[in-house]
Amino acid sequence: MKKSALQKARAAYQPKLPIALQGAVKVVEGKPTQSVADQETIQKLFPNTYGLPEIRFEKNSTAGQGKPVNVGVILSGGQAPGGHNVISGLFDGIKKIHRDSRLFGFLMGPGGLVDHKYIELTAPIIDEYRNTGGFDIIGSGRTKLEKVEQFDKGLEILRELGISALVIIGGDDSNTNAAILAEYYKAKNTGIQVIGCPKTIDGDLKNNLIETSFGFDTATKVYSEVIGNIQRDCNSAKKYWHFIKLMGRSASHIALECALQTQPNICLISEEIEEKNMSLSDIVSYIADIVTARAAEGNNFGTVLIPEGLIEFIPEFKRLIAELNELLGANADKVAGMDASALTQFIMSNLSAENVASLKGLPEGVARQLMLDRDPHGNVQVSLIETEKLLSGLVSAKLATSQKFKEVKGKFSALHHFFGYEGRCADPSNFDADYCYSLGFNASALINAGVTGYMSSIRNLVKPAVQWIPGGIPITMMMNIERRNAEDKPVIQKALVRLDGEPFRKFAEQREEWAHNTCYIYPGPIQYFGPTEVCDQPSMTLKYEHRN
Amino acid sequence: MKKSALQKARAAYQPKLPIALQGAVKVVEGKPTQSVADQETIQKLFPNTYGLPEIRFEKNSTAGQGKPVNVGVILSGGQAPGGHNVISGLFDGIKKIHRDSRLFGFLMGPGGLVDHKYIELTAPIIDEYRNTGGFDIIGSGRTKLEKVEQFDKGLEILRELGISALVIIGGDDSNTNAAILAEYYKAKNTGIQVIGCPKTIDGDLKNNLIETSFGFDTATKVYSEVIGNIQRDCNSAKKYWHFIKLMGRSASHIALECALQTQPNICLISEEIEEKNMSLSDIVSYIADIVTARAAEGNNFGTVLIPEGLIEFIPEFKRLIAELNELLGANADKVAGMDASALTQFIMSNLSAENVASLKGLPEGVARQLMLDRDPHGNVQVSLIETEKLLSGLVSAKLATSQKFKEVKGKFSALHHFFGYEGRCADPSNFDADYCYSLGFNASALINAGVTGYMSSIRNLVKPAVQWIPGGIPITMMMNIERRNAEDKPVIQKALVRLDGEPFRKFAEQREEWAHNTCYIYPGPIQYFGPTEVCDQPSMTLKYEHRN
């Protein structure tokens, strides 16, 4: 690998560790835990790993006698900055336990465990990847570990390699599966521990005990960098409205964090739109009104942040999509041979009047996409809808017939952006580099403590890294029962944006001013070597949520 | 303006100046110059400003007696990182000449001069904008200064404000107009000097004496940052081909520079495609062959860089667009009332057989766009064509019928990106911060030297800033005669990518390896505070062009 100058310089960075992990470690057990909901059902599903105590690590005065341990690691799901540091922290941690400890990486995600594809991660390999972005050290994948056959297949290779602990780095689904696997291996008395690590740029894997998932910090800083640059362009040329869609499957944490960092004119928050039962037309009016008010001041430019998951939170869309999926699912055989026009006619004559009206209110291209482009399961492919273009098109159409907009001699010209892949594999910020390294190192302490079904937890993150509090949280504690594919399943509760939370409140109390004045902030690119107030700040979300 | 932490820290940066400009300055005149072509015609058009000598500034042992000077400044055309530093360098330069000197900024581009819209740029204003991106200090605009009435209107306000020198910061067109304005003001004996500064992220305003235009360095570094991040994602997930279009009106300098920085699997260079007379189908085959070869190795992923100007360099498109423009121009009245289907039929039955075939070879959406979407002058809107989607669509269609691709069990799934606005207003890199400040400071030396019709020139840019060579180049020297809108006009020759130049040669000798192996480089974000090998490097293009 030919390295960039930054990579070379950055390789020397030594991530900061909480003081409690720097020397010998003492395990402090808390009280037994309960799941956040559906306690009885979840206890039944996890008889061996339910109700375990929280764990906190503290500095120990005397070091214990460590034994070599073989550990496996898996990167699961979408990339997030810092994954390599979780692995290097884990490596350094198990080497500290005993220099003969070994680390095996399963390739291309959970599938590598099932298919017995792996490499041993030795010091020279680890050193190539310290403080870098990406998951390319072993690759990632989306195979779901859900079935007993997969668990048994995995067990074979774990036994063959003498692996007694498996670390799964992933989002809510992957950690749910880690808990199920932990339960299974425990029930079978395999002696294999399973530890999870909270990863996802989406920021929706968090709760009272997991303050943030890793990668959120870096990804939102990269998006904020380019949003800031676009805003500066916007404020220089003063002639475009930029509609900027931001990745994030469901929750709007990314859009909200970027809004707090850059102060755009408009930021839509899906959770609020659902809560207020806003229609697409309401949203379009909201934007058009701000465009008009700015035009009245001579400002025919602005920025709009749009969370990727928006569509599925708009109640009328939700209903439309649900009915479309149901209608076409129930008539799968009948519609299979239809051409586009026959299918369109079939849909229009069988959909409820309300949803026909919703469809007719959409631009032709979007309506066509909803009706005709379907995934292999026959479902509407919501992620293909270019929400940013849909919205700007509807706003443009609305303004074209607006008397007020004409009176103020407004002009409306839109440009579109979608940011996602630009940030998922960025070099981790100092925060993510430190946090990830600590999460991985901490996972080795959990392994050393002999526990299973725990998630690596580092808290007190708004303080300097030395003051961070390392420990472990039973994964079952974060679970509830949810309906998935017509089945009740135990899953980790996804954290959506809370409208009563500080980050949203801070946004809501300022957005009126941001809309009408031009209050852009230009954060610039992530810095690694400068003053601490530039280089070592956690996300605004984290600060607002935990500053007390 | 609420400032980001980086902006605050960055405000303290003191840009480096060439040693020759640090103290008193001596003017060294070179030989009289000639235009690059069409000497006789250009001499006739510029009787007062043709043939002037090159100028170089050297350190002087004794300081002269400076007099206060009032200067006007204009930002013209698209934004480029560093414009604020040109202005702050100019401000500091004229204040060094005499502390009573004053600087006036005309608002929103050349239109501000004509419409008498301006502000005085005082020290507190200048200090707000040092080392920041954007043109928002006075805004920019695209009004072309071409007509005598505009020149006279401008003269009124220049006289009213006692301005004796005007600095125009712009690209090739704006500097062409600066030369015409300089000639006009000289011919009228107004005593008003006009000085140009070479700006454009496109990198196409350069020649033997202007080594690079400002902004190219920063913009390409921002694009390379996000391309690198995408490549790391690509190499982690190993399942997508990313088609990445990069801004740049005509020349492919941006794409080439980004390719040298990031080593993608494929980079198209428009100038080469034109030179080799490649058809769209040839380009598609070239990409599809590499996709297939990588698939054979199990690598169903990759990156393709596409210069924005590509379409207009593909000979068959050039012919098609030319005939379309001609046909519809000649029949403007006839086609005015036609609906889409009538117009399509009219075009299809009147176009040459060759161009009908070209049209038919295009995906329906693109063909429709070419035929139906036209600008107010009736011309095809080439910039609206999403080349990145056009190419990936054609590649996908070709692979779908490829026996070889089937044999190697290839998969092809594409994602699309377009980067432009993300980089034009980024905070300038140290290089651009220094270069721009020096260009502006140097402009004040040209003003002090009493010359007009010159472009501010800083050379020897691959060396440390203290060794840079400041001076001035008569703008007429860079001109030739070109056909524009059916008229012969004197214009600055645009610098396209030279296929015999070092940057392209370096690229061409490595691209085969980049295509088949995965040689991605991940440059990461621009750094301002770190080691010099990370923070102070000029572009690869500049290094390869001037390293001897």
Side-chain angles (χ1 to χ4, degrees), chain B residues 6 25 71 133 179 209 217 244 280 295 321 325 327 360 368-369 386 451 455:
Chain B
L6 176 61
V25 163
V71 173
L209 300 161
D217 185 80
I244 305 169
L280 186 57
I321 291 167
N325 283 339
L327 175 69
K360 286 189 174 163
R368 197 199 319 231
Q369 203 167 23
E386 295 181 299
V451 299
M455 195 182 290

Side-chain angles (χ1 to χ4, degrees), chain A residues 2 4 79 133 135-136 225 229 232-233 236 263 386 389 417 419 422 424-425 522 526-528, chain B residues 2 4 79 133 135-136 225 229 232-233 236 263 386 389 417 419 422 424-425 522 526-528:
Chain A
K2 186 168 159 190
S4 66
Q79 281 74 251
F135 278 8
D136 43 310
E225 173 200 353
N229 289 353
R232 195 126 209 178
D233 204 299
S236 300
Q263 304 191 170
E386 294 181 299
K389 291 186 182 167
H417 312 266
F419 298 121
E422 293 76 3
R424 306 196 316 175
C425 286
Y522 316 116
I526 292 175
Q527 296 296 302
Y528 301 103
Chain B
K2 187 168 158 189
S4 67
Q79 281 74 250
F135 279 7
D136 42 311
E225 174 201 354
N229 289 353
R232 195 127 210 179
D233 204 299
S236 300
Q263 303 191 169
E386 295 181 299
K389 291 186 183 167
H417 313 265
F419 298 121
E422 293 76 3
R424 305 197 313 175
C425 286
Y522 315 117
I526 293 175
Q527 296 296 302
Y528 301 104

Side-chain angles (χ1 to χ4, degrees), chain A residues 335-344 372:
Chain A
V335 302
M338 289 186 182
D339 67 7
S341 88
L343 184 55
T344 305
L372 309 181

